[in-house]
């Protein structure tokens, strides 16, 4: 069992989930409540990573963050390192690739909150921000939790984008799925089996949690 | 006198446009009814006043504040208008109990102040003992009272009610129709009420604005709009030609005897389930029959000697205004009018069945020190519902 890879993967998935919670909530709320006519463009852009092959997303992230790109140069001047083949690099990739898995469940649970409740709160003199935390969030937390579980689980299992951007540096960018790939390449099937079974069990539990949340089976 | 003045135009992508102008006093209790069929724009107008919709053109001013000036880009959000809004389905927060719902808008107050004001509301609206219940554990009438408490606990300057009774079942609706006016007058806040139900309009309002297809067709004191609709279309929408303030003097065998004006004129009607003192008498023009000669037989309980004061032709129908000590409108066919040889000044008998007289119980808000009915001008033929509107309220419509 590759414990280094497991620990790295958990860190990657947890950071991805926290970042998408912070960035995804406002974006999702905007998507759920805007009357902007170009909203469909943003919806489409958010959903892109679901359709695109990971290699395409990975390639462009690599290209956009490479040492010759403006982002890469800015990053290098600040941190004296580079994004590709580093943990921050695969974190950026993971966040971008997981946007739809967080934002879409968030947005659909916000949209399910009766608009009249929000308006009632505004008419009571309660600010938009306070209405969001006092009315919208408590009524949509199952959807938000679903989004977080899906994001975490998907980030744990991500392979293509991480491989493209990070390669396979043990302890830095070698996640569980890459570790399995390496084991298979070196014909170490026993090790591959062990890690793969852990991943299957984990994915199954994560999906059970999301479906139970949606059907309100869990006494939360 | 301070005014709420609005002159707005709200366009919808679908093509519908709502245009409305109004001027209503803000420093006295008065209930303005926005009345019309569904889709006429009455709810949109209410939402524009609340700041929940932003009109493309026009302005809204409340006393010396500007809430909207579309040309200057001024728009005050609902949070800063100091209003209370009662939603059609009450929009109670399902995850909060009654006390938390009522206290939601009081986050600026101290904890003890919040407690005190919530307790005051629970007491005023007979909700004591229910503070720990959740909205789904309340009846429709209780939900409405919680929503009202939540709206007025902040002491708003203007109360906006969107179809306040339509979410209730019929018996509760009838009961609350009687109570709501009393509650609203106790708050002493100017109100706007959206409704499509003429009984609701009559039971609650002082001033009536009739809307249809996005425009205001008529605006005036309640009784005046009902009794003198500006055109046949409004007449059809309001549907009740004669409205009189009256007092029940006795109830016998299920029939109520009503005194109109100083009591020299009486009508007999089916007694209401809760015989209260003051009522509004509603008579549709179709239910008034006109006879010549002194024949007093037949099933109708009310035979009123009257004089024809005007005759208006509306297609196949004739609208005959009668003076029988009060103003009474009859709609009859052109043929009947010709057979009776009706002309202005002719003496006739008006007959109304007791079952055709609809009574609306309504505690009449009297001006201080005055008896509401005795203050009505009682020259024959001038006891009109428009004088009702000025006597029963301090709304200053006149």
């Amino acid at each position: 069992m590759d414990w280094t890879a497991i620990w790295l993967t958990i860190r990657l998935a947890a950071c991805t989930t926290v970042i998408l919670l912070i960035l995804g909530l406002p974006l999702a709320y905007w998507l759920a409540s805007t009357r902007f006519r170009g909203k469909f463009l943003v919806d489409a852009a958010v959903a892109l990573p679901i359709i695109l092959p990971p290699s395409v997303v990975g390639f462009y992230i690599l290209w956009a963050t490479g040492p010759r790109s403006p982002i890469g140069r800015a990053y290098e001047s600040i941190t004296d390192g580079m994004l590709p083949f580093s943990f921050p690099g695969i974190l950026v990739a993971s966040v971008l690739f997981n946007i739809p898995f967080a934002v879409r469940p968030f947005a659909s649970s916000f949209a399910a909150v009766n608009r009249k409740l929000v308006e009632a709160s505004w008419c009571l003199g309660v600010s938009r921000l306070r209405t969001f935390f006092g009315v919208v969030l408590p009524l949509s937390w199952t959807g938000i939790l679903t989004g977080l579980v899906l994001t975490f689980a998907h980030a744990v299992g991500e392979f293509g984008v991480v491989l493209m951007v990070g390669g396979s540096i043990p302890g830095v960018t070698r996640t569980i799925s890459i570790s399995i790939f390496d084991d298979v390449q070196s014909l170490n099937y026993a090790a591959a089996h062990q890690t793969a079974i852990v991943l299957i069990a984990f994915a199954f539990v994560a999906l059970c949690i999301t479906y139970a949340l949606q059907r309100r089976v869990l006494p939360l | 006198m301070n005014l709420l003045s609005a002159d707005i135009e709200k366009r919808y992508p679908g093509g519908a446009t709502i245009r409305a102008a109004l001027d209503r006093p803000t420093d006295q209790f008065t209930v303005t009814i926005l009345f019309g069929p569904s889709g006429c724009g009455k709810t949109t107008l209410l939402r524009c006043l609340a700041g929940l919709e932003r009109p493309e053109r026009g302005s809204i001013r409340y006393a010396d504040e500007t809430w909207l000036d579309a040309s200057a880009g001024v728009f005050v959000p609902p949070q800063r208008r100091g209003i209370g809004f009662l939603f059609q389905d009450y929009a109670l927060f399902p995850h909060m109990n009654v006390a938390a719902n009522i206290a939601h808008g009081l986050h600026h107050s101290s904890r003890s102040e919040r407690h005190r004001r919530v307790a005051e509301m629970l007491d005023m609206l007979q909700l004591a003992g229910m503070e720990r219940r959740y909205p789904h554990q309340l009846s429709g009438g209780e939900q409405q009272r919680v929503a009202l408490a939540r709206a007025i606990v902040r002491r708003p300057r203007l109360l906006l009610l969107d179809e306040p009774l339509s979410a209730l079942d019929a018996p509760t609706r009838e009961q609350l129709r009687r109570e709501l006016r009393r509650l609203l007058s106790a708050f002493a806040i100017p109100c706007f009420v959206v409704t499509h139900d003429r009984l609701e309009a009559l039971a609650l309002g002082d001033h009536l604005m009739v809307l249809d297809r996005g425009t205001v067709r008529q605006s005036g004191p309640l009784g005046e709009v009902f009794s003198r609709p500006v055109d046949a279309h409004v007449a059809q929408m309001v549907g009740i030609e004669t409205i009189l303030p009256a007092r029940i003097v006795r109830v016998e065998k299920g029939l109520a005897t009503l005194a109109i004006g100083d009591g020299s004129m009486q009508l007999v009607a089916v007694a209401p389930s809760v015989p209260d003192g003051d009522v509004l008498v509603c008579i549709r023009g179709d239910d008034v029959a006109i006879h010549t000669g002194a024949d007093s037989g037949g099933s109708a309980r009310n035979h009123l000697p009257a004089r024809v004061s005007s005759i208006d032709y509306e297609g196949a129908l004739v609208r005959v205004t009668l003076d029988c000590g009060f103003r009474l409108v009859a709609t009859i066919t052109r043929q009947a009018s010709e057979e009776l040889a009706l002309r202005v000044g002719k003496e006739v008998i008006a007959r109304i069945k007791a079952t055709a007289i609809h009574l609306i119980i309504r505690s009449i808000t009297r001006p201080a020190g005055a008896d509401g009915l005795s203050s009505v001008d009682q020259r024959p033929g001038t006891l009109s519902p428009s004088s009702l509107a000025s006597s029963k309220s301090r709304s200053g419509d006149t």
Side-chain angles (χ1 to χ4, degrees):
Chain A
M1 197 77 105
D2 186 348
W3 287 106
T4 319
I6 288 174
W7 172 234
L8 176 77
T9 307
I10 289 171
R11 272 199 301 151
L12 177 68
C15 292
T16 303
T17 307
V18 169
I19 291 171
L20 279 175
L21 176 67
I22 294 162
L23 299 181
L25 283 181
L27 176 60
Y29 192 54
W30 180 80
L31 280 173
S33 55
T34 184
R35 294 183 200 177
F36 173 53
R37 296 179 88 176
K39 166 175 135 54
F40 70 97
L41 292 170
V42 185
D43 270 330
V46 164
L48 260 186
I50 296 178
I51 311 247
L52 282 179
S55 54
V56 171
V57 179
F59 169 64
Y60 277 112
I61 292 171
L62 200 56
W63 180 74
T65 59
R68 267 178 252 162
S69 72
I71 297 172
R73 271 197 301 249
Y75 184 80
E76 202 174 333
S77 68
I78 297 166
T79 64
D80 211 23
M82 62 178 203
L83 272 173
F85 309 109
S86 70
F87 183 77
I90 60 170
L91 182 56
V92 169
S94 176
V95 165
L96 288 173
F97 200 63
N98 276 299
I99 285 174
F101 294 92
V103 170
R104 283 159 52 97
F106 292 175
S108 65
S109 67
F110 288 151
V113 174
N114 185 352
R115 174 92 188 148
K116 291 269 162 63
L117 299 177
V118 175
E119 292 180 342
S121 180
W122 292 351
C123 286
L124 292 168
V126 180
S127 70
R128 283 169 180 254
L129 193 66
R130 201 182 263 270
T131 297
F132 177 76
F133 285 108
V135 176
V136 178
L137 217 48
L139 292 173
S140 52
W141 66 268
T142 50
I144 290 159
L145 206 54
T146 303
L148 295 180
V149 173
L150 279 179
T151 304
F152 188 87
H154 193 252
V156 165
E158 182 43 40
F159 174 70
V161 174
V162 175
L163 188 65
M164 289 289 284
V165 177
S168 175
I169 305 166
V172 179
T173 63
R174 193 160 104 141
T175 60
I176 303 179
S177 48
I178 294 168
S179 143
I180 295 170
F181 179 74
D182 287 348
D183 286 341
V184 173
Q185 291 283 301
S186 56
L187 301 177
N188 188 355
Y189 290 162
H193 264 307
Q194 270 187 347
T195 324
I197 281 173
V198 171
L199 259 190
I200 288 174
F202 169 75
F204 184 71
V205 168
L207 286 174
C208 283
I209 292 171
T210 51
Y211 284 112
L213 278 173
Q214 278 161 17
R215 304 203 49 185
R216 297 185 175 273
V217 175
L218 291 183
L220 283 167
Chain B
M1 184 168 66
N2 284 326
L3 286 176
L4 169 69
S5 314
D7 185 354
I8 51 169
E9 184 177 311
K10 169 80 192 159
R11 280 187 292 269
Y12 279 102
T17 300
I18 285 121
R19 282 187 204 88
L22 59 87
D23 277 297
R24 298 294 302 143
T26 56
D27 33 22
Q28 56 198 330
F29 171 66
T30 172
V31 179
T32 305
I33 305 282
L34 306 178
F35 181 81
S38 54
C40 70
K42 54 193 193 299
T43 296
T44 301
L45 177 54
L46 196 76
R47 290 173 57 83
C48 288
L49 293 178
L52 294 172
E53 302 285 345
R54 185 172 181 162
E56 283 78 16
R57 277 194 341 97
S59 64
I60 301 175
R61 288 193 175 80
Y62 181 95
D64 53 356
E65 293 173 29
T66 300
W67 282 358
L68 172 81
D69 185 345
S71 54
V74 176
F75 176 77
V76 174
Q79 285 92 337
R80 290 196 281 116
R81 294 194 183 195
I83 49 152
F85 198 108
L86 189 80
F87 286 85
Q88 189 172 0
D89 51 6
Y90 310 133
L92 296 178
F93 305 122
H95 60 299
M96 296 183 198
N97 64 24
V98 168
N101 261 282
I102 297 174
H104 185 70
L106 296 176
H107 54 274
H108 292 304
S109 315
S110 70
R111 197 184 175 83
S112 60
E113 171 73 2
R114 265 205 308 271
H115 264 292
R116 197 183 61 70
R117 303 247 307 247
V118 169
E120 186 184 277
M121 281 299 127
L122 291 168
D123 190 47
M124 183 170 186
L125 290 160
Q126 288 150 24
L127 291 164
M130 296 188 188
E131 47 272 57
R132 301 276 155 252
R133 291 211 205 151
Y134 282 84
H136 70 270
Q137 298 169 311
L138 301 174
S139 72
E142 287 162 354
Q143 287 184 26
Q144 192 206 39
R145 296 212 295 278
V146 174
L148 257 180
R150 187 179 68 177
I152 60 161
V153 73
R154 297 174 60 239
R155 307 195 180 118
R157 305 180 288 180
L158 185 66
L159 195 55
L160 306 167
L161 299 92
D162 187 8
E163 305 259 6
L165 300 169
S166 66
L168 302 168
D169 56 78
T172 318
R173 185 159 60 227
E174 199 175 323
Q175 189 199 342
L176 281 176
R177 200 190 289 143
R178 290 196 295 269
E179 284 181 20
L180 190 56
R181 166 91 191 173
R182 186 182 57 75
L183 271 176
L184 295 180
S185 62
F187 305 150
I189 302 165
C191 303
F192 280 79
V193 179
V194 160
T195 183
H196 64 269
D197 181 336
R198 60 174 77 93
L199 296 180
E200 232 169 275
L202 284 164
L204 300 174
D206 297 306
H207 189 96
L208 187 69
M209 291 178 70
V210 181
L211 286 94
D212 190 38
R213 281 175 236 151
T215 57
V216 178
R217 302 294 292 249
Q218 188 173 0
S219 175
L222 182 79
E224 189 181 297
V225 177
F226 270 99
S227 62
R228 296 172 210 271
V230 283
D231 55 32
H233 193 72
V234 173
Q236 196 192 359
M237 277 196 278
V238 297
I240 300 169
E241 285 82 356
T242 302
I243 294 162
L244 301 164
R247 208 171 54 249
I248 297 177
V249 287
R250 66 177 175 276
V251 176
E252 230 173 321
K253 291 177 182 159
L255 289 182
T257 303
L258 308 158
I260 293 167
D262 60 2
S264 65
M265 290 153 291
Q266 295 201 326
L267 286 173
V268 175
V270 176
S273 54
V274 187
D276 202 336
D278 295 323
V279 290
L280 289 181
V281 172
C282 304
I283 306 168
R284 296 180 56 107
D286 306 353
D287 292 326
V288 180
I290 299 177
H291 294 253
T292 50
D295 173 27
S296 62
S299 60
R301 289 295 91 198
N302 298 291
H303 299 255
L304 308 166
R307 179 183 287 123
V308 177
S309 52
S310 73
I311 302 175
D312 300 294
Y313 294 92
E314 286 168 5
L317 295 178
V318 183
R319 192 176 151 91
V320 183
T321 308
L322 301 166
D323 170 10
C324 45
F326 53 87
R327 185 174 173 276
L328 180 68
V329 174
T331 30
I332 60 173
T333 60
R334 193 181 274 261
Q335 206 178 1
S337 167
E338 282 161 8
E339 280 173 21
L340 293 166
L342 292 187
R343 59 188 157 67
V344 172
K346 189 178 169 85
E347 303 281 345
V348 295
I349 304 285
R351 288 189 188 171
I352 314 156
K353 291 165 76 172
T355 49
I357 298 180
H358 191 88
L359 299 181
I360 291 179
I361 293 172
R362 162 157 175 167
S363 44
I364 291 166
T365 321
R366 293 188 180 87
D371 180 321
L373 290 173
S374 64
S375 68
V376 172
D377 186 348
Q378 287 182 6
R379 278 171 292 143
T382 56
L383 179 66
S384 72
S386 53
S387 53
L388 147 77
S390 53
S391 69
K392 73 179 160 37
S393 71
R394 289 156 295 187
S395 67
D397 285 321
T398 46

